[in-house]
Amino acid sequence: MAKHIYDVAEGYLGVTEYPAAKHNPQIVKFYADSGHSWVQDDETPWCAAFVGSVLAECGIQGTKELNARSYSKWGEAVDLSQARKGDIVVFWRGSRDSWKGHVAFFSHYEDGKVYVLGGNQGNKVSIA
């Protein structure tokens, strides 16, 4: 039976960065699983590494990039009214044309807000 993306991602809720010079080995593993084993810390932005790692665990090829906005060209766009748990949500930062952003998995829509399950949200895997 195939693993559901959201269920796999949910299993990592609470994984958090370590303080100071220590680095959480699970976050370092997210990098390795997404094709970036050269990253050996939990300070480098890791939202795309988390998404890539979860996808890999489900047998799905991600973008192989650490740039969150790389996922804006991956998959098929859907209207918010059609979004389902586990769909990938890409946010832009600064401007729509900027390379800066955030990527996570759709959780739900409530009171005019999109909630996502993602890595590096408050330095941990969380729903925000």
Side-chain angles (χ1 to χ4, degrees):
M1 183 174 172
K3 295 180 180 182
H4 187 272
I5 292 168
Y6 194 87
D7 293 337
V8 171
E10 196 172 42
Y12 293 108
L13 278 171
V15 170
T16 193
E17 293 178 12
Y18 288 172
K22 291 184 177 184
H23 303 291
N24 187 325
Q26 180 58 64
I27 295 172
V28 173
K29 187 175 182 316
F30 292 151
Y31 287 110
D33 292 347
S34 65
H36 299 277
S37 59
W38 56 271
V39 180
Q40 294 294 306
D41 65 76
D42 61 11
E43 297 301 316
T44 302
W46 51 278
C47 64
F50 175 72
V51 168
S53 176
V54 169
L55 290 175
E57 190 171 333
C58 294
I60 300 168
Q61 180 66 56
T63 65
K64 293 187 174 183
E65 296 184 37
L66 291 180
N67 178 343
R69 295 291 304 273
S70 69
Y71 280 93
S72 63
K73 300 175 197 128
W74 186 91
E76 296 178 28
V78 298
D79 188 77
L80 179 58
S81 65
Q82 296 175 322
R84 302 290 177 253
K85 269 189 173 181
D87 285 354
I88 292 177
V89 178
V90 180
F91 298 94
W92 55 271
R93 190 173 305 155
S95 75
R96 288 184 187 269
D97 298 327
S98 172
W99 63 271
K100 298 175 186 176
H102 182 66
V103 64
F105 298 104
F106 182 81
S107 174
H108 62 283
Y109 182 75
E110 183 180 311
D111 297 327
K113 296 178 184 174
V114 173
Y115 289 84
V116 294
L117 190 168
N120 206 22
Q121 297 182 161
N123 297 331
K124 63 184 175 184
V125 177
S126 66
I127 297 173

